[in-house]
Amino acid sequence: MKKIIVLIFIIITLSVGCSKTPSLSIHIIDVGQGDSILIQTPNNSNILVDGGNEDSSLIIKNFLKSKKVKNIDFIIATHPDTDHIGSLDDIIDKFDVSKVYLPNKETKSDSYYNLIQSCNKKSINPQYLSRGDIISLDSNIKLTVLNPSYTHTDNNSNSIVFKLDYNNKSFLFTGDCTYENEIDIINNFNLEDVDFLKISHHGSKNSSSQEFLYAVSPDVAAISCGYDNQYNHPHKDTLLRLTQTNTKVYRTDKQGHLSFYSDGETITTTSPPK
């Protein structure tokens, strides 16, 4: 049976490294109206998913240092919108990064140009991800790419969506994928076992559809958005749909940085209830 144990923030002060059982750690970094996620595996692999806006660099760097991150095994830039890749150039400049993954979609923005230039300076050849690609992280951790299946004209529709499986727990990361992507994904993959969902597009009403949420049926959802943002994210309709699926919701605009841990059987959090 799926379950999440909500732990009191004051009590849980030990780092993952102090735990007797190595854990998978997922940190939703509070970069305001943007996305940046640090995933740390039990075998000490570091994966950075997105890099917030261009003014998020210091926040991300300080957070990575607080988690003792010196090397990043790979970066996934889910799509080339500035609020997802804005600070990745600076992260690549300052950290030892082994690989960078992108969707096969270029853009003429300064953020994208800066990202590619930083990769070039470090002799990193960005690789494209698309549906069906699989990355094995540890012996019992697998990353499966669910989107994009082909190149769209819209950046959000090209978002890299991936599922991370760790023993008996599954975690779904959705970038800014759209309703059309969601329907395509649930028509091609069985996602009934998803336990954790990173909500798409900061809680926009144009994603996290009823069909998708009922198909995925997550226990836990995390929303990355800015406090009192101009887009009114997360939208009230999205929050209502999450309530209807009995999903426990955590939000960076209400709670700041969000941290979740899993031993492959349960999910725990140090984030206080909102």
Side-chain angles (χ1 to χ4, degrees):
M1 179 182 294
K2 300 179 182 178
K3 56 184 176 180
I4 177 167
I5 305 172
V6 180
L7 302 178
I8 299 174
F9 178 69
I10 297 176
I11 295 176
I12 305 301
T13 57
L14 298 178
S15 67
V16 176
C18 296
S19 174
K20 292 182 180 179
T21 302
S23 295
L24 174 73
S25 305
I26 296 171
H27 305 286
I28 314 296
I29 306 172
D30 181 12
V31 293
Q33 188 65 18
D35 267 23
S36 188
I37 303 166
L38 173 66
I39 301 171
Q40 297 181 293
T41 74
N43 286 341
N44 301 314
S45 294
N46 295 308
I47 300 104
L48 184 66
V49 183
D50 290 333
N53 285 293
E54 292 177 342
D55 59 358
S56 302
S57 177
L58 185 60
I59 296 172
I60 298 171
K61 286 188 291 185
N62 285 341
F63 189 88
L64 295 179
K65 290 176 182 177
S66 76
K67 298 303 176 184
K68 303 185 180 348
V69 173
K70 295 181 179 178
N71 304 314
I72 299 175
D73 293 271
F74 58 86
I75 288 173
I76 297 177
T78 60
H79 63 295
D81 280 359
T82 299
D83 62 328
H84 287 252
I85 65 168
S87 291
L88 287 182
D89 58 326
D90 198 30
I91 300 302
I92 292 169
D93 291 342
K94 298 297 192 299
F95 290 83
D96 183 7
V97 178
S98 297
K99 295 180 180 179
V100 174
Y101 292 107
L102 305 165
N104 189 6
K105 171 68 173 175
E106 297 183 1
T107 181
K108 295 181 180 179
S109 71
D110 290 342
S111 297
Y112 185 80
Y113 174 81
N114 293 337
L115 169 59
I116 298 302
Q117 287 298 102
S118 290
C119 287
N120 291 338
K121 284 187 291 184
K122 288 288 193 75
S123 298
I124 299 172
N125 182 27
Q127 301 176 45
Y128 298 133
L129 289 179
S130 58
R131 175 192 289 177
D133 290 338
I134 295 175
I135 301 173
S136 294
L137 301 176
D138 296 346
S139 59
N140 53 355
I141 299 181
K142 181 178 70 172
L143 186 158
T144 304
V145 180
L146 312 182
N147 192 75
S149 55
Y150 59 90
T151 301
H152 302 260
T153 56
D154 171 60
N155 280 346
N156 289 342
S157 297
N158 281 300
S159 287
I160 293 172
V161 176
F162 66 91
K163 183 163 73 84
L164 192 68
D165 292 301
Y166 175 38
N167 289 339
N168 292 322
K169 291 297 174 185
S170 292
F171 305 79
L172 187 59
F173 301 85
T174 55
D176 276 0
C177 79
T178 65
Y179 169 76
E180 288 76 18
N181 296 142
E182 292 176 345
I183 299 306
D184 184 49
I185 288 169
I186 61 177
N187 283 339
N188 286 278
F189 295 92
N190 180 1
L191 298 179
E192 292 180 356
D193 61 342
V194 168
D195 303 283
F196 175 96
L197 174 65
K198 198 292 293 185
I199 294 295
S200 175
H201 204 188
H202 323 291
S204 163
K205 66 179 179 180
N206 297 320
S207 52
S208 302
S209 63
Q210 186 178 57
E211 299 98 314
F212 183 72
L213 291 177
Y214 273 105
V216 174
S217 189
D219 293 318
V220 185
I223 302 175
S224 182
C225 61
Y227 176 76
D228 196 26
N229 64 83
Q230 62 179 315
Y231 307 103
N232 294 318
H233 291 160
H235 196 274
K236 60 182 181 180
D237 290 349
T238 301
L239 295 175
L240 176 60
R241 291 194 290 268
L242 287 164
T243 298
Q244 291 170 340
T245 54
N246 297 314
T247 304
K248 179 65 177 176
V249 177
Y250 293 82
R251 297 164 49 172
T252 59
D253 64 324
K254 297 284 189 180
Q255 297 151 282
H257 300 312
L258 305 173
S259 294
F260 303 90
Y261 306 94
S262 179
D263 58 3
E265 302 298 330
T266 61
I267 300 172
T268 63
T269 181
T270 57
S271 301
K274 64 181 179 63

